[in-house]
Amino acid sequence: MHRSSLLLVACAAVLTRANPVGLRDAQTAVVDFSNKTGTPEHFASGLLYGVPDAKDQIPPSFFKDIGYNYERAGGAQVPSPGRGWIWGLDEYKNRFSSVLSNYRSAREFDANFIFLIHDLWGADGSQNSSASYPGDNGDWSSWDTYLDHVVADMESNQMIDGMIIDIWNEPDLSIFWNRDQNQYLQMWGRTYHRLRNKFGTSIQLSGPAFSAEPSLSNAWWKNWCSFVSSNSSVPDQYAWHMEGGGGDMLSSQAGLLSLLKTYDLPARPININEYGIYDEQVPAGSAWWISQFERINAHGLRGNWLSGYALHDFMASLLSKPGAESDYSNTSTGYFPNGDYQVYKYYNLNMTGTRVGTVPSGDMKLDAYAVVGEDGWARVLVGVRISTGTWNLRLDSLSSLGLPEEGTLSVHTWGFPVAENVHYGEVDGPTDLGWNDHDYSEDSVSFPVYQKDKSTAYAFEFRINND
Ligand SMILES: *[C@@H]1O[C@H](CO)[C@@H](O)[C@H](O)[C@H]1NC(C)=O
Ligand SMILES: *[C@@H]1O[C@H](CO)[C@@H](O)[C@H](O)[C@H]1NC(C)=O
Ligand SMILES: *[C@@H]1O[C@H](CO)[C@@H](O)[C@H](O)[C@H]1NC(C)=O
Ligand SMILES: *[C@@H]1O[C@H](CO)[C@@H](O)[C@H](O)[C@H]1NC(C)=O
Ligand SMILES: *[C@@H]1O[C@H](CO)[C@@H](O)[C@H](O)[C@H]1NC(C)=O
């Protein structure tokens, strides 16, 4: 099929998918309680780095309470003498020990671990302009020897369960890959087959982890799709990043689907293994991202905007501790949660039961994640994407919850604020904002979401009749 007609087909598919409730209102998000979409797995509870090298330095309950299920690390920014392979074997070994301790911490919680082998190589963004890359001048010997060490160290330390190797992080940015795309694709093909031949499917392979969203107008994506198709090196997870401060998961998933169709590639799970800019790492932003991932069953790992040892601490800006911002000690403890942490805790511990389908507002600002609990309550978490104003939330098919088709719905509201010192200030739980009664008819109730700041998320709870 010609590419432009494919684009039309893909766009039509997006419209149909994003528009199941008729004409979409620009400022109304909708929950359809009759549309059951499965058991919560808290798809958004993954972290990029954020874990100290010392075991249990962060008390385990902080990880358990958010349903932590994905970790991604490779020893980035461990200083000299731990700068990775391009600085020699000893610096490789020191960096590897950070990877091993992060892997073991993740497995303590049964979290999957995405191994960043580009960081262990030394291309963590801090490498100098004369740093070497795999395959420079057509010579692959250093990369092949490096992989010998990685494979041997994974085997001798039993780093197999829950292991996913990300072949190279953000090669479309010169700070991580300062070479052309052809050299990258050769590296991809070599590495994929080397690891698959060695480990079979006992570990998963992931990529391309581009900084750019999938799209038929992105050359890195098109060339990569074309290459993996002809090279038989399609990864087990399609991974990319959502850290541009724009974009959304419906359009970016549609971009992937159009590429898969064009290059005749198979469907695979999606993993956004870095999501959210620093300003979005507040309750409103996190609730928005949670809703986006839950809708399409994509895994998400919080991006990490800290550096140095702080990169290996604070659960990607969900925790703080005394002296966290200044006078920083990487080994000190005394952790406490920030406001954003409370969203993930509620998402994991309180939003149990069965998920139901939701649709974001037409302007993509308000999004919602909703569940029907077995405890006789329905719960809806909403987040506005870093904007102020008034949006609406509409709850459809109330009769599917055993409620009458008209009447008055009493809704209990929780606010999830941040402390004044946003990412570092302590917040110990949501704020009880009381009850509101809403009259409704025709099996549907609407009420406004007043977003007066750019950070607070809200949860709405009401009793159902599920006897
Ligand atoms: C803390 O930093 C020191 C170097 O300053 C390093 O040797 C040590 O491994 C770090 N500890 C942790 C838990 O990251
Ligand atoms: C640049 O980094 C390489 C390792 O990638 C190192 O061998 C070299 O000495 C560094 N050059 C400078 C000027 O620091
Ligand atoms: C995949 O690409 C790599 C790098 O060019 C090459 O070594 C390998 O033989 C290719 N494999 C297949 C099955 O085409
Ligand atoms: C969430 O669930 C926990 C455990 O059941 C409970 O203690 C807590 O009060 C609930 N939080 C909210 C906001 O309902
Ligand atoms: C149910 O919800 C899912 C997830 O939001 C959505 O993909 C699907 O289209 C919805 N189904 C209907 C019939 O609205």
Side-chain angles (χ1 to χ4, degrees), residues 140 182 185-193 227 229-233:
W140 294 93
N182 183 51
L185 293 172
Q186 298 310 310
M187 184 278 300
W188 176 280
R190 269 182 110 79
T191 309
Y192 177 97
H193 289 292
F227 181 84
S229 169
S230 66
N231 188 249
S232 303
S233 48

Side-chain angles (χ1 to χ4, degrees), residues 17 20 32 35 37 294-296 356-359:
R17 205 180 26 255
D32 178 358
N35 181 10
T37 59
E294 292 290 342
R295 176 170 300 112
I296 66 162
V356 294
T358 72
V359 179

